[in-house]
């Protein structure tokens, strides 16, 4: 037995929050009857419809993907640019990215058809650590980067303190490699934080998401995650 909104989210129809709205709006039927209360329990034998369209109860699946640069973190793009799901043509489930990486950012991205897990992992209060490595313009110093360890205000919003490490600097080319660990996921957060320190990002890669690393994946590769790996991410995101 599972909660109705969770099953709708699993089917890839909507996030769990949206599924709750659909239920309250009277757009959901279970075995032909409109159900408007939240929390009704259903099984895989129940016939569920959203706006008269039956939903197919997919098994939840989870993948980690090494997103290449110049790929959109979405399932479609109105400008016809490559999207992350182009790499999953052999996967029949309707998966979508958990959060996003910028078009020009490479690295570890999760994809799933489990709206509930996706929502939990992207909730601002419960996000896991994410480690980014940036090539920046300028010579990084502890002094320049110190602001990221305090609460910065970026575009009028307070962002949580981050950790940094300077991996290398080159005074000749005036470039540095900096590692930044954050747990939120605001748009362009790493680029904005480093820019505010006077170190504009030239290249960005996400190397770690919670306990998951890219292992030996190459750009464009993916691997399926075990349920225990997802459970660990959910556990870690509660802290
Ligand atoms: N921060 C950014 O600036 N870009 C990303 O893609 C991810 C985090």
């Amino acid at each position: 037995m599972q909660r109705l909104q969770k099953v709708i989210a699993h089917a890839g129809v909507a996030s769990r929050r949206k599924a709750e709205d659909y239920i309250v709006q009277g757009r959901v039927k279970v075995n032909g009857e409109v159900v408007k209360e939240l929390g009704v329990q259903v099984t895989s034998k129940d016939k569920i419809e959203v706006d008269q369209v039956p939903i197919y109860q997919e098994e939840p699946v989870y993948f980690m993907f090494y997103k290449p640069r110049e790929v959109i973190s979405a399932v479609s793009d109105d400008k016809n640019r490559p999207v992350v799901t182009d790499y999953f043509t052999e996967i029949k489930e309707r998966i979508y990215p958990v959060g996003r990486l910028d078009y020009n950012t490479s690295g570890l991205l999760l994809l799933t058809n489990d709206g509930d897990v996706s929502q939990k992992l992207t909730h601002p209060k419960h996000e896991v650590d994410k480690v980014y490595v940036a090539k920046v313009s300028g010579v990084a110093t502890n002094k320049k980067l110190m602001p990221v360890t305090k609460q910065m205000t970026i575009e009028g919003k307070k962002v949580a303190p981050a950790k940094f490490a300077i991996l290398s600097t080159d005074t000749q080319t005036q470039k540095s490699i900096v590692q930044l660990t954050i747990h939120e996921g605001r748009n362009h957060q790493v680029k904005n934080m480093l820019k505010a320190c006077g170190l504009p990002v030239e290249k960005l890669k996400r190397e770690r998401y919670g306990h998951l690393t890219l292992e030996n994946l190459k750009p464009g590769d993916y691997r399926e995650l075990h349920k225990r790996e997802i459970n660990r991410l959910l556990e870690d995101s509660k802290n």
Side-chain angles (χ1 to χ4, degrees):
M1 296 276 264
Q2 285 199 83
R3 285 155 79 92
L4 179 56
Q5 55 266 44
K6 190 168 175 185
V7 173
I8 297 171
H10 269 166
V13 177
S15 67
R16 199 170 68 166
R17 204 169 294 153
K18 269 258 171 300
E20 290 175 351
D21 291 346
Y22 293 169
I23 295 169
V24 173
Q25 289 160 6
R27 293 165 63 180
V28 177
K29 281 187 190 163
V30 178
N31 303 323
E33 301 275 334
V34 172
V35 169
K36 283 191 170 183
E37 312 140 49
L38 297 177
V40 167
Q41 303 274 334
V42 291
T43 70
S44 55
K45 300 218 167 57
D46 288 310
K47 187 178 162 227
I48 299 158
E49 292 163 79
V50 176
D51 292 336
Q52 268 81 47
V53 181
I55 68 159
Y56 164 60
Q57 294 196 43
E58 286 181 351
E59 281 298 312
V61 286
Y62 311 91
F63 296 93
M64 78 172 182
F65 175 54
Y66 187 161
K67 180 183 118 40
R69 263 170 248 292
E70 301 187 356
V71 177
I72 302 275
S73 297
V75 297
S76 65
D77 180 52
D78 48 10
K79 294 189 195 128
N80 250 342
R81 288 169 297 184
V83 294
V84 288
T85 43
D86 290 347
Y87 291 81
F88 290 81
T89 47
E90 279 155 29
I91 304 302
K92 63 176 189 336
E93 287 85 1
R94 284 179 295 173
I95 55 171
Y96 50 86
V98 176
R100 60 189 290 281
L101 288 176
D102 292 338
Y103 181 65
N104 274 319
T105 300
S106 64
L108 204 164
L109 183 69
L110 301 183
L111 290 99
T112 184
N113 57 351
D114 187 335
D116 193 29
V117 163
S118 173
Q119 198 191 326
K120 281 190 184 136
L121 289 176
T122 51
H123 192 288
K125 283 210 190 90
H126 301 289
E127 287 203 35
V128 293
D129 275 358
K130 289 161 210 118
V131 179
Y132 291 86
V133 172
K135 180 179 179 192
V136 297
S137 163
V139 176
T141 59
N142 286 342
K143 192 170 168 215
K144 276 190 194 164
L145 282 160
M146 208 43 81
V148 306
T149 65
K150 316 258 158 58
Q151 193 178 58
M152 295 176 100
T153 301
I154 304 248
E155 292 174 343
K157 300 225 171 73
K158 291 199 163 98
V159 297
K163 287 184 229 147
F164 74 86
I166 299 169
L167 302 185
S168 68
T169 54
D170 187 332
T171 44
Q172 222 152 36
T173 58
Q174 296 281 304
K175 309 273 179 209
S176 311
I177 309 288
V178 174
Q179 186 191 64
L180 205 67
T181 305
I182 62 171
H183 66 264
E184 296 170 314
R186 296 181 195 283
N187 276 353
H188 316 306
Q189 183 165 341
V190 172
K191 289 177 188 163
N192 286 339
M193 288 174 91
L194 291 173
K195 190 171 165 202
C197 298
L199 298 166
V201 171
E202 293 186 356
K203 250 179 163 184
L204 187 62
K205 177 178 173 189
R206 180 155 73 194
E207 295 207 326
R208 190 158 72 74
Y209 190 105
H211 68 286
L212 300 171
T213 62
L214 283 166
E215 301 160 2
N216 42 17
L217 295 183
K218 298 188 190 63
D221 287 351
Y222 63 82
R223 88 158 166 87
E224 188 161 2
L225 294 170
H226 303 287
K227 191 68 206 235
R228 64 179 147 74
E229 293 176 294
I230 290 297
N231 288 342
R232 176 152 171 216
L233 277 183
L234 292 175
E235 273 304 306
D236 292 349
S237 74
K238 284 188 193 145
N239 301 327

